[in-house]
Amino acid sequence: MRQATPLKKVILDMRTNTICWNPMEAFIFTAANEDYNLYTFDMRALDTPVMVHMDHVSAVLDVDYSPTGKEFVSASFDKSIRIFPVDKSRSREVYHTKRMQHVICVKWTSDSKYIMCGSDEMNIRLWKANASEKLGVLTSREKAAKDYNEKLKEKFRYHPHIKRIARHRHLPKPIYSQIQEQRVMKEARRRKEVNRLKHSKPGSVPMVSEKKKHVVAVVK
């Protein structure tokens, strides 16, 4: 705060558009990057991200944390917004509409119930943080039924059919086709790395983890 020069500087492969600090853990922040990913860093160890969050298919333009600090929402150039748990690499929810264009900014409300986003076609949209949550006052029986259903979901979450239903999200065709294309490209890169490792002298080709791939340098 009192110095004109930075204490540490981390350089990534591509440009970072914005960062957001975790409101509950003062040393954790998440960076929204041009390479379609988000990187959660611990400021005490900047050489490796704590988590790489991957799901977007275009540049990530904005990010904001929920007041609980357990989740954050990201806005992307691919015309969608996604909600990520802090400790997971994949999003738990994706929001999109036919008319919504490139999403420029996103904010999580202080009561942790709603998400607001602003997009290119000059509209502000209000979304529920939990898509299936019932709004308004709940009776005691409704609360009990809701809690019971949540416990059932938690109990059977590893069952293949339940897992598939819980994970499935409808996506627009352009996003879906881009995801398939990126999957093929990623598999090709992985195959190339495995072959290079297999056919070279032991120890000559280092194994680089996904977390370290995108960090170019840390300047102290």
Side-chain angles (χ1 to χ4, degrees):
M1 290 287 285
R2 296 178 183 178
Q3 291 182 358
T5 54
L7 292 170
K8 261 184 197 173
K9 185 165 70 173
V10 60
I11 301 165
L12 299 177
D13 268 340
M14 295 183 79
R15 181 185 161 200
T16 296
N17 288 315
T18 185
I19 72 161
C20 185
W21 291 90
N22 190 321
M24 300 308 276
E25 293 179 271
F27 36 81
I28 301 287
F29 67 90
T30 298
N33 205 274
E34 285 279 334
D35 66 358
Y36 314 169
N37 296 339
L38 295 111
Y39 301 97
T40 298
F41 282 97
D42 187 327
M43 67 178 287
R44 299 167 296 184
L46 286 174
D47 52 341
T48 310
V50 178
M51 187 62 68
V52 181
H53 309 276
M54 302 173 284
D55 258 347
H56 283 295
V57 292
S58 194
V60 189
L61 301 177
D62 200 13
V63 60
D64 192 38
Y65 267 92
S66 73
T68 58
K70 291 183 178 178
E71 292 180 323
F72 62 83
V73 61
S74 62
S76 173
F77 202 73
D78 64 12
K79 307 177 187 177
S80 70
I81 65 173
R82 288 182 182 266
I83 301 171
F84 290 86
V86 174
D87 56 347
K88 300 274 194 312
S89 63
R90 297 293 176 184
S91 60
R92 73 156 175 86
E93 192 63 81
V94 55
Y95 290 133
H96 56 85
T97 65
K98 208 175 247 184
R99 291 187 178 188
M100 187 161 76
Q101 297 303 306
H102 312 306
V103 191
I104 305 299
C105 57
V106 70
K107 281 282 176 277
W108 205 308
T109 57
S110 299
D111 61 356
S112 194
K113 284 194 173 185
Y114 303 100
I115 289 161
M116 289 185 285
C117 72
S119 44
D120 255 359
E121 84 289 358
M122 299 179 289
N123 285 336
I124 295 172
R125 287 181 172 83
L126 191 67
W127 309 88
K128 284 194 280 188
N130 286 318
S132 59
E133 186 183 15
K134 187 184 173 187
L135 298 178
V137 180
L138 297 177
T139 63
S140 56
R141 287 182 69 182
E142 281 177 323
K143 280 180 190 171
K146 179 173 165 284
D147 293 342
Y148 180 70
N149 289 338
E150 288 299 324
K151 277 292 173 190
L152 273 181
K153 282 187 217 168
E154 195 181 322
K155 184 179 179 181
F156 295 106
R157 65 184 167 182
Y158 297 115
H159 189 282
H161 295 302
I162 305 294
K163 195 176 181 181
R164 186 180 174 278
I165 292 165
R167 201 181 57 218
H168 177 75
R169 293 291 179 274
H170 174 75
L171 291 169
K173 198 173 180 184
I175 293 180
Y176 184 76
S177 56
Q178 278 179 287
I179 287 173
Q180 301 305 319
E181 188 183 328
Q182 281 186 14
R183 195 172 288 158
V184 171
M185 289 161 65
K186 195 172 182 180
E187 181 56 33
R189 281 197 298 269
R190 192 195 66 80
R191 202 165 52 244
K192 188 177 179 181
E193 279 177 21
V194 169
N195 287 342
R196 187 181 287 153
L197 200 66
K198 199 189 292 180
H199 299 293
S200 54
K201 190 179 171 184
S204 61
V205 179
M207 277 287 285
V208 183
S209 69
E210 185 63 40
K211 288 181 180 179
K212 288 190 175 180
K213 273 179 191 172
H214 309 281
V215 178
V216 176
V218 178
V219 184
K220 294 183 181 179

